[in-house]
Amino acid sequence: MNKKVQVFAGLEELSAAAAGQFIRLAEASIAERGRFDVALTGGSTPRRMYEYLANARYAEQVAWPSVHIYFGDERCVPPHHPDSNFGMAYEALLRHVPLPSAQIQRMHGEEDPTEAATAYARLLDAQLPKSPRGMPQFDLVLLGLGADGHIASLFPGTEGLAERSRCAVANYVPQLQAWRLSLTLPVIASGRQILLLVSGEPKASIVSKILADNDESPPLPAQMLESAATLEWYLDSAAASTLPGENKR
Ligand code: 6PG
């Protein structure tokens, strides 16, 4: 795996840099293919990045009519529920930019999880180009990192983490006693670029555990991203605070 680790002073600097990377990748994808297919992440870390992208100085640099928004995962709640990843992204970014609503494909957390995941997998299959391995391929997959090493809603020990053929699943998470909708590892790893945003001291130990390449067994979800794409880690100094020096660039 070609991992690149960038450490920024704090969440503000990380978010501004991630917004800049989004703009660069969008420009390159649209120039190359006429569109930019991106899977947004939920959680709290990316909100500030989305707010930067919604700011006119950033938003004017993106050809939004050529951007297609998808989601890496979703909670099983209605779209404007406080826990909804779509709801967070909508308030922070999507409602502020000139994106045709048909180009925003949320996961239907309000529906039966299995039916919603099947429908989402069908939609990705119909709308996205395919990777060399035949998986729907995003130009950019944004991810956050859980303190237990989960990415999207692929939590350690859950069935969804083991899925290798479907591109989206309903995943029961015993740790949360809740169902989640999630992209699977094969489609995440097929992303042409993967950007993992990690902020805050509570993530320092999991970041060290993963980046120090400890051979955890079984490997943590974030360690399972065997990807030909460039996996970029955007950390703030708090999340990177226990990394040995050589990991920081
Ligand atoms: C979600 C996310 C999840 C998140 C991590 C980190 O639905 O919560 O997709 O994978 O990225 O849990 O969350 P924070 O950014 O809030 O720390």
Side-chain angles (χ1 to χ4, degrees):
M1 181 187 310
N2 169 17
K3 278 185 297 205
K4 201 166 108 183
V5 180
Q6 296 195 54
V7 181
F8 301 90
L11 180 61
E12 278 304 303
E13 294 81 4
L14 182 158
S15 305
Q21 182 67 331
F22 182 104
I23 290 166
R24 281 188 296 278
L25 293 172
E27 189 175 5
S29 299
I30 292 165
E32 183 190 333
R33 290 191 320 106
R35 57 186 285 153
F36 181 52
D37 297 311
V38 53
L40 300 183
T41 181
S44 56
T45 305
R47 181 192 292 272
R48 194 74 190 100
M49 171 196 173
Y50 298 162
E51 290 169 349
Y52 267 99
L53 277 175
N55 176 300
R57 273 190 321 112
Y58 288 75
E60 68 193 13
Q61 299 179 62
V62 178
W64 295 103
S66 302
V67 175
H68 297 258
I69 298 284
Y70 300 85
F71 285 82
D73 71 328
E74 188 53 277
R75 290 81 179 279
C76 290
V77 295
H80 294 290
H81 185 282
D83 290 348
S84 167
N85 289 336
F86 164 80
M88 181 275 284
Y90 181 78
E91 286 308 318
L93 171 59
L94 303 178
R95 62 191 284 264
H96 303 287
V97 292
L99 246 179
S101 56
Q103 291 174 209
I104 300 174
Q105 302 293 355
R106 68 179 181 87
M107 295 177 167
H108 289 194
E110 72 277 20
E111 293 171 5
D112 168 81
T114 303
E115 289 174 12
T118 303
Y120 208 72
R122 202 173 291 134
L123 179 129
L124 297 181
D125 208 45
Q127 294 191 359
L128 293 183
K130 294 293 182 294
S131 73
R133 294 188 182 177
M135 267 287 156
Q137 183 168 45
F138 290 99
D139 295 303
L140 171 62
V141 179
L142 287 173
L143 295 172
L145 179 69
D148 60 357
H150 78 260
I151 49 173
S153 281
L154 302 177
F155 286 74
T158 58
E159 275 185 33
L161 182 60
E163 177 64 42
R164 292 294 177 273
S165 51
R166 290 175 292 168
C167 58
V169 291
N171 192 26
Y172 185 72
V173 184
Q175 299 90 317
L176 304 174
Q177 295 186 320
W179 283 91
R180 288 281 189 93
L181 301 175
S182 185
L183 297 184
T184 56
L185 264 181
V187 72
I188 291 171
S190 299
R192 290 158 58 151
Q193 293 290 339
I194 306 169
L195 193 49
L196 190 53
L197 312 176
V198 195
S199 165
E201 196 282 327
K203 302 289 174 69
S205 71
I206 194 68
V207 164
S208 293
K209 195 181 282 188
I210 293 169
L211 284 180
D213 277 339
N214 296 346
D215 49 356
E216 289 286 313
S217 74
L220 294 164
Q223 287 172 309
M224 295 167 74
L225 268 183
E226 295 300 324
S227 158
T230 300
L231 170 58
E232 280 194 283
W233 292 69
Y234 275 27
L235 308 174
D236 67 6
S237 52
S241 55
T242 55
L243 273 182
E246 63 272 14
N247 270 306
K248 296 180 195 170
R249 272 194 285 145

